Amino acid sequence: MRDALTSGRKRGANPLNLIDSLSDKQIRYLLDVWEENGRDEQLPPRGDWLVWLMLGGRGAGKTRAGAEWVRAMALGEPPFAADPVGPIALVGETLADVREVMVEGPSGVLSVHGRDKRPVWLPSRRRLEWPNGMTAHAFSSEDPESLRGPQFAAAWSDELAKWKHAEATWDMLQFGLRLGDRPRQVVTTTPRPIPLLRQLLDADGTVRTHAATYANRLNLAPGFLDRVVGRYAGTRLGRQELEGELIADRVDALWQREAIETGRVDSAPTLGRIVVAVDPPASARSGVCGIVAAGLGRDGTGYVLADATVQAARPDRWAGAALNLYRRLDADALVAEVNQGGDMVAAVIAQVDANVPVTTVRATRGKWVRAEPVAALYAQGRVRHAGTLRALEDQLCDFGPDGLSQGRSPDRLDAMVWAITALMLTRGEPRVRGV
């Protein structure tokens, strides 16, 4: 059935025509069978994995995915399980979470069963019992020792990133997974940068799927996405809680996300001066050209307005991108670093538009030393971001004494530093070329 539908989609068939061609029995099958209903990221990955880690935003369908996997394990439903599997451990932040979310919740284990195969929930024993004899048992991260002794053939761990005693609970659970030929476990969680989650991501035998809140929009209350996404989209909290991204700051980074979030504004006030800074690539064939705009408010506060950074290609391309931003914001000047290209930078911009004033700057100190005074302005609350600038903020919070963690050039950061330096830290009149 699934192969036929997939084949139809690949041929470009209209989904409505596919549905019209199905019998009532086939339609009931589609509605009842999770393998046909679940999104790809909600279905167990193929292959010989030990841990399936499903990261997702709030309301992305993580609980449903975990509950359906437990059901398929207990009932032995191919392709998820060849034979019934049990006992199964159900581990949540608290026992109340296990009962109210994982077992009795609207997407919990009880809800995903038909009446004839539904297990019985015995709250006093914290136990599910299926008609075929399989069982599942509830445990809390508040009591890791309760996992000492029992043994299991499978486990579902929910919201692991919220667990009170994450490491201890996880360790005790692993000692208990010793039944069957190859005990497997599913972890469903909205990510937070805890050490255990990072360890799982790097571990052999872990497979990962990802689901954003928006992917489950048809099952969410009307207006939820407009109301919540409109407020949190692009912020650290939104990327974590809605998009399911694992976002971590470097301890030794010059910038921390909390400070950026605290100073963020929806839009900048009336600005006295606006500049667009350009950090050109080292060569015309490689690298990225950082292009960032910033303005100075009448109260002396700096506002980072836009990031138009482009992958370097021909010089006229990055020059055109910089000039487009300059015109869109009605900026006062372009600030361009000339270490890499010398007078070429101003010359390239002049070829595109000779009427644009270009302030040339030359780096005489290292990137960290140049960035420190600007980071200090952020710490003092004197620089704010107007809106969200995701890629730039990722670079800021990954910039340590040895540069970016992956060894890349901090092109966006450099451009921003030049812009704020020109607006707030430069004394005297800048050297201007052009009209």
Side-chain angles (χ1 to χ4, degrees), residues 21 25 47 63 75 81 122 124 137 148 157 177 192 197 201 216 236 247 276-277 312 398-399:
S21 69
K25 182 178 180 180
T63 303
L75 298 180
L122 305 173
S124 62
H137 307 261
R148 186 185 294 274
S157 299
L177 280 166
R192 292 174 59 207
L197 194 55
L201 285 168
N216 199 36
R236 177 196 175 100
I247 302 174
V276 173
D398 186 41
F399 185 69

PDB file of all heavy atoms in Angstrom, residues 21 25 47 63 75 81 122 124 137 148 157 177 192 197 201 216 236 247 276-277 312 398-399:
ATOM      1  N   SER A  21      -9.195   6.684  -5.908  1.00  0.00           N
ATOM      2  CA  SER A  21      -9.041   5.340  -6.481  1.00  0.00           C
ATOM      3  C   SER A  21      -9.044   4.235  -5.430  1.00  0.00           C
ATOM      4  O   SER A  21      -9.064   3.063  -5.781  1.00  0.00           O
ATOM      5  CB  SER A  21      -7.740   5.271  -7.288  1.00  0.00           C
ATOM      6  OG  SER A  21      -6.613   5.345  -6.420  1.00  0.00           O
ATOM      7  N   LYS A  25     -12.095   0.043   2.361  1.00  0.00           N
ATOM      8  CA  LYS A  25     -11.197  -0.743   3.203  1.00  0.00           C
ATOM      9  C   LYS A  25      -9.786  -0.176   3.167  1.00  0.00           C
ATOM     10  O   LYS A  25      -9.099  -0.099   4.197  1.00  0.00           O
ATOM     11  CB  LYS A  25     -11.195  -2.193   2.727  1.00  0.00           C
ATOM     12  CG  LYS A  25     -10.317  -3.118   3.570  1.00  0.00           C
ATOM     13  CD  LYS A  25     -10.406  -4.550   3.072  1.00  0.00           C
ATOM     14  CE  LYS A  25      -9.524  -5.469   3.912  1.00  0.00           C
ATOM     15  NZ  LYS A  25      -9.602  -6.876   3.416  1.00  0.00           N
ATOM     16  N   GLY A  47      17.736   0.318   9.236  1.00  0.00           N
ATOM     17  CA  GLY A  47      19.112   0.041   9.608  1.00  0.00           C
ATOM     18  C   GLY A  47      19.254  -0.558  10.994  1.00  0.00           C
ATOM     19  O   GLY A  47      18.290  -0.728  11.739  1.00  0.00           O
ATOM     20  N   THR A  63       5.751  12.880  20.814  1.00  0.00           N
ATOM     21  CA  THR A  63       5.071  11.919  21.699  1.00  0.00           C
ATOM     22  C   THR A  63       4.345  10.862  20.888  1.00  0.00           C
ATOM     23  O   THR A  63       4.387   9.667  21.209  1.00  0.00           O
ATOM     24  CB  THR A  63       4.089  12.655  22.623  1.00  0.00           C
ATOM     25  OG1 THR A  63       4.792  13.646  23.375  1.00  0.00           O
ATOM     26  CG2 THR A  63       3.413  11.679  23.578  1.00  0.00           C
ATOM     27  N   LEU A  75       3.292  -5.158  20.113  1.00  0.00           N
ATOM     28  CA  LEU A  75       2.423  -6.017  19.307  1.00  0.00           C
ATOM     29  C   LEU A  75       3.196  -6.809  18.261  1.00  0.00           C
ATOM     30  O   LEU A  75       2.631  -7.685  17.601  1.00  0.00           O
ATOM     31  CB  LEU A  75       1.353  -5.164  18.618  1.00  0.00           C
ATOM     32  CG  LEU A  75       0.399  -4.417  19.558  1.00  0.00           C
ATOM     33  CD1 LEU A  75      -0.608  -3.605  18.748  1.00  0.00           C
ATOM     34  CD2 LEU A  75      -0.327  -5.389  20.488  1.00  0.00           C
ATOM     35  N   ALA A  81       8.911  -4.410  14.180  1.00  0.00           N
ATOM     36  CA  ALA A  81       9.315  -5.552  15.003  1.00  0.00           C
ATOM     37  C   ALA A  81       8.785  -6.834  14.369  1.00  0.00           C
ATOM     38  O   ALA A  81       7.641  -6.875  13.900  1.00  0.00           O
ATOM     39  CB  ALA A  81       8.787  -5.404  16.422  1.00  0.00           C
ATOM     40  N   LEU A 122      -2.282   0.070  34.781  1.00  0.00           N
ATOM     41  CA  LEU A 122      -2.432  -0.192  36.210  1.00  0.00           C
ATOM     42  C   LEU A 122      -1.631   0.863  36.963  1.00  0.00           C
ATOM     43  O   LEU A 122      -0.432   0.690  37.214  1.00  0.00           O
ATOM     44  CB  LEU A 122      -1.920  -1.595  36.548  1.00  0.00           C
ATOM     45  CG  LEU A 122      -2.551  -2.745  35.744  1.00  0.00           C
ATOM     46  CD1 LEU A 122      -1.837  -4.055  36.049  1.00  0.00           C
ATOM     47  CD2 LEU A 122      -4.041  -2.843  36.043  1.00  0.00           C
ATOM     48  N   SER A 124      -1.391   1.924  40.041  1.00  0.00           N
ATOM     49  CA  SER A 124      -0.752   1.587  41.317  1.00  0.00           C
ATOM     50  C   SER A 124       0.532   0.786  41.116  1.00  0.00           C
ATOM     51  O   SER A 124       1.451   0.854  41.928  1.00  0.00           O
ATOM     52  CB  SER A 124      -1.722   0.801  42.203  1.00  0.00           C
ATOM     53  OG  SER A 124      -2.077  -0.424  41.584  1.00  0.00           O
ATOM     54  N   HIS A 137       6.743  -0.502  31.795  1.00  0.00           N
ATOM     55  CA  HIS A 137       6.829  -0.039  33.171  1.00  0.00           C
ATOM     56  C   HIS A 137       7.304   1.410  33.210  1.00  0.00           C
ATOM     57  O   HIS A 137       8.200   1.805  32.460  1.00  0.00           O
ATOM     58  CB  HIS A 137       7.784  -0.935  33.958  1.00  0.00           C
ATOM     59  CG  HIS A 137       7.446  -2.392  33.860  1.00  0.00           C
ATOM     60  ND1 HIS A 137       6.754  -3.076  34.831  1.00  0.00           N
ATOM     61  CD2 HIS A 137       7.691  -3.302  32.874  1.00  0.00           C
ATOM     62  CE1 HIS A 137       6.592  -4.332  34.466  1.00  0.00           C
ATOM     63  NE2 HIS A 137       7.155  -4.501  33.278  1.00  0.00           N
ATOM     64  N   ARG A 148      17.394   0.346  38.970  1.00  0.00           N
ATOM     65  CA  ARG A 148      18.376  -0.659  39.365  1.00  0.00           C
ATOM     66  C   ARG A 148      17.651  -1.972  39.680  1.00  0.00           C
ATOM     67  O   ARG A 148      16.853  -2.044  40.608  1.00  0.00           O
ATOM     68  CB  ARG A 148      19.156  -0.188  40.583  1.00  0.00           C
ATOM     69  CG  ARG A 148      20.319  -1.109  40.982  1.00  0.00           C
ATOM     70  CD  ARG A 148      20.964  -0.635  42.274  1.00  0.00           C
ATOM     71  NE  ARG A 148      21.610   0.653  42.124  1.00  0.00           N
ATOM     72  CZ  ARG A 148      22.858   0.818  41.686  1.00  0.00           C
ATOM     73  NH1 ARG A 148      23.581  -0.235  41.353  1.00  0.00           N
ATOM     74  NH2 ARG A 148      23.374   2.028  41.594  1.00  0.00           N
ATOM     75  N   SER A 157      12.385   6.929  26.118  1.00  0.00           N
ATOM     76  CA  SER A 157      12.727   8.028  27.026  1.00  0.00           C
ATOM     77  C   SER A 157      12.203   9.325  26.441  1.00  0.00           C
ATOM     78  O   SER A 157      12.565   9.704  25.323  1.00  0.00           O
ATOM     79  CB  SER A 157      14.252   8.119  27.199  1.00  0.00           C
ATOM     80  OG  SER A 157      14.761   6.922  27.750  1.00  0.00           O
ATOM     81  N   LEU A 177      18.874  -2.609  29.998  1.00  0.00           N
ATOM     82  CA  LEU A 177      18.512  -3.027  28.643  1.00  0.00           C
ATOM     83  C   LEU A 177      19.364  -4.226  28.243  1.00  0.00           C
ATOM     84  O   LEU A 177      20.374  -4.106  27.546  1.00  0.00           O
ATOM     85  CB  LEU A 177      18.730  -1.857  27.667  1.00  0.00           C
ATOM     86  CG  LEU A 177      17.627  -0.805  27.648  1.00  0.00           C
ATOM     87  CD1 LEU A 177      18.086   0.449  26.921  1.00  0.00           C
ATOM     88  CD2 LEU A 177      16.366  -1.364  26.999  1.00  0.00           C
ATOM     89  N   ARG A 192      18.108  20.618  24.375  1.00  0.00           N
ATOM     90  CA  ARG A 192      18.793  21.625  25.176  1.00  0.00           C
ATOM     91  C   ARG A 192      20.253  21.192  25.244  1.00  0.00           C
ATOM     92  O   ARG A 192      20.547  19.995  25.200  1.00  0.00           O
ATOM     93  CB  ARG A 192      18.201  21.714  26.590  1.00  0.00           C
ATOM     94  CG  ARG A 192      16.780  22.270  26.633  1.00  0.00           C
ATOM     95  CD  ARG A 192      16.220  22.176  28.029  1.00  0.00           C
ATOM     96  NE  ARG A 192      17.028  22.911  28.983  1.00  0.00           N
ATOM     97  CZ  ARG A 192      17.104  22.615  30.286  1.00  0.00           C
ATOM     98  NH1 ARG A 192      16.436  21.582  30.763  1.00  0.00           N
ATOM     99  NH2 ARG A 192      17.839  23.347  31.080  1.00  0.00           N
ATOM    100  N   LEU A 197      22.979  14.799  25.951  1.00  0.00           N
ATOM    101  CA  LEU A 197      22.437  14.850  24.598  1.00  0.00           C
ATOM    102  C   LEU A 197      23.560  14.941  23.569  1.00  0.00           C
ATOM    103  O   LEU A 197      23.507  14.305  22.511  1.00  0.00           O
ATOM    104  CB  LEU A 197      21.494  16.050  24.464  1.00  0.00           C
ATOM    105  CG  LEU A 197      20.601  16.066  23.225  1.00  0.00           C
ATOM    106  CD1 LEU A 197      19.791  14.788  23.113  1.00  0.00           C
ATOM    107  CD2 LEU A 197      19.673  17.283  23.261  1.00  0.00           C
ATOM    108  N   LEU A 201      24.413  12.183  20.549  1.00  0.00           N
ATOM    109  CA  LEU A 201      24.541  12.565  19.141  1.00  0.00           C
ATOM    110  C   LEU A 201      25.833  12.026  18.531  1.00  0.00           C
ATOM    111  O   LEU A 201      25.878  11.689  17.346  1.00  0.00           O
ATOM    112  CB  LEU A 201      24.496  14.087  19.007  1.00  0.00           C
ATOM    113  CG  LEU A 201      23.119  14.728  19.160  1.00  0.00           C
ATOM    114  CD1 LEU A 201      23.243  16.243  19.302  1.00  0.00           C
ATOM    115  CD2 LEU A 201      22.231  14.388  17.967  1.00  0.00           C
ATOM    116  N   ASN A 216       4.010  19.824  11.938  1.00  0.00           N
ATOM    117  CA  ASN A 216       2.791  19.216  12.499  1.00  0.00           C
ATOM    118  C   ASN A 216       1.646  20.225  12.563  1.00  0.00           C
ATOM    119  O   ASN A 216       0.728  20.086  13.358  1.00  0.00           O
ATOM    120  CB  ASN A 216       3.086  18.678  13.901  1.00  0.00           C
ATOM    121  CG  ASN A 216       2.061  17.660  14.358  1.00  0.00           C
ATOM    122  OD1 ASN A 216       1.562  16.874  13.575  1.00  0.00           O
ATOM    123  ND2 ASN A 216       1.743  17.686  15.647  1.00  0.00           N
ATOM    124  N   ARG A 236      16.857  32.523  19.910  1.00  0.00           N
ATOM    125  CA  ARG A 236      17.429  31.288  20.459  1.00  0.00           C
ATOM    126  C   ARG A 236      16.325  30.376  20.987  1.00  0.00           C
ATOM    127  O   ARG A 236      16.315  29.173  20.734  1.00  0.00           O
ATOM    128  CB  ARG A 236      18.411  31.627  21.588  1.00  0.00           C
ATOM    129  CG  ARG A 236      18.995  30.381  22.262  1.00  0.00           C
ATOM    130  CD  ARG A 236      19.637  30.703  23.592  1.00  0.00           C
ATOM    131  NE  ARG A 236      20.071  29.486  24.238  1.00  0.00           N
ATOM    132  CZ  ARG A 236      21.316  29.041  24.242  1.00  0.00           C
ATOM    133  NH1 ARG A 236      22.252  29.723  23.644  1.00  0.00           N
ATOM    134  NH2 ARG A 236      21.625  27.918  24.851  1.00  0.00           N
ATOM    135  N   ILE A 247      21.270  24.269  20.283  1.00  0.00           N
ATOM    136  CA  ILE A 247      22.074  25.485  20.205  1.00  0.00           C
ATOM    137  C   ILE A 247      22.905  25.594  21.472  1.00  0.00           C
ATOM    138  O   ILE A 247      22.369  25.631  22.579  1.00  0.00           O
ATOM    139  CB  ILE A 247      21.184  26.727  20.055  1.00  0.00           C
ATOM    140  CG1 ILE A 247      20.303  26.590  18.799  1.00  0.00           C
ATOM    141  CG2 ILE A 247      22.025  27.989  19.984  1.00  0.00           C
ATOM    142  CD1 ILE A 247      19.304  27.687  18.640  1.00  0.00           C
ATOM    143  N   VAL A 276      27.201  50.594   5.952  1.00  0.00           N
ATOM    144  CA  VAL A 276      27.251  49.204   5.509  1.00  0.00           C
ATOM    145  C   VAL A 276      28.724  48.816   5.447  1.00  0.00           C
ATOM    146  O   VAL A 276      29.507  49.457   4.739  1.00  0.00           O
ATOM    147  CB  VAL A 276      26.593  49.014   4.131  1.00  0.00           C
ATOM    148  CG1 VAL A 276      26.815  47.585   3.635  1.00  0.00           C
ATOM    149  CG2 VAL A 276      25.110  49.334   4.202  1.00  0.00           C
ATOM    150  N   ALA A 277      29.115  47.802   6.225  1.00  0.00           N
ATOM    151  CA  ALA A 277      30.512  47.371   6.283  1.00  0.00           C
ATOM    152  C   ALA A 277      30.728  46.135   5.427  1.00  0.00           C
ATOM    153  O   ALA A 277      29.881  45.235   5.389  1.00  0.00           O
ATOM    154  CB  ALA A 277      30.926  47.102   7.722  1.00  0.00           C
ATOM    155  N   ALA A 312      31.412  34.308  -1.847  1.00  0.00           N
ATOM    156  CA  ALA A 312      32.248  35.075  -2.760  1.00  0.00           C
ATOM    157  C   ALA A 312      32.253  34.458  -4.155  1.00  0.00           C
ATOM    158  O   ALA A 312      32.358  33.260  -4.324  1.00  0.00           O
ATOM    159  CB  ALA A 312      33.665  35.158  -2.214  1.00  0.00           C
ATOM    160  N   ASP A 398      30.106  31.712  18.702  1.00  0.00           N
ATOM    161  CA  ASP A 398      31.066  30.631  18.471  1.00  0.00           C
ATOM    162  C   ASP A 398      32.484  31.183  18.308  1.00  0.00           C
ATOM    163  O   ASP A 398      33.399  30.458  17.953  1.00  0.00           O
ATOM    164  CB  ASP A 398      30.667  29.843  17.214  1.00  0.00           C
ATOM    165  CG  ASP A 398      31.532  28.609  17.002  1.00  0.00           C
ATOM    166  OD1 ASP A 398      31.835  27.907  17.993  1.00  0.00           O
ATOM    167  OD2 ASP A 398      31.931  28.359  15.856  1.00  0.00           O
ATOM    168  N   PHE A 399      32.664  32.472  18.601  1.00  0.00           N
ATOM    169  CA  PHE A 399      33.958  33.110  18.373  1.00  0.00           C
ATOM    170  C   PHE A 399      34.749  33.178  19.673  1.00  0.00           C
ATOM    171  O   PHE A 399      34.417  33.924  20.590  1.00  0.00           O
ATOM    172  CB  PHE A 399      33.756  34.518  17.810  1.00  0.00           C
ATOM    173  CG  PHE A 399      35.043  35.207  17.433  1.00  0.00           C
ATOM    174  CD1 PHE A 399      35.791  34.776  16.353  1.00  0.00           C
ATOM    175  CD2 PHE A 399      35.519  36.275  18.184  1.00  0.00           C
ATOM    176  CE1 PHE A 399      36.975  35.399  16.007  1.00  0.00           C
ATOM    177  CE2 PHE A 399      36.698  36.917  17.852  1.00  0.00           C
ATOM    178  CZ  PHE A 399      37.433  36.477  16.763  1.00  0.00           C
TER     179      PHE A 399
END
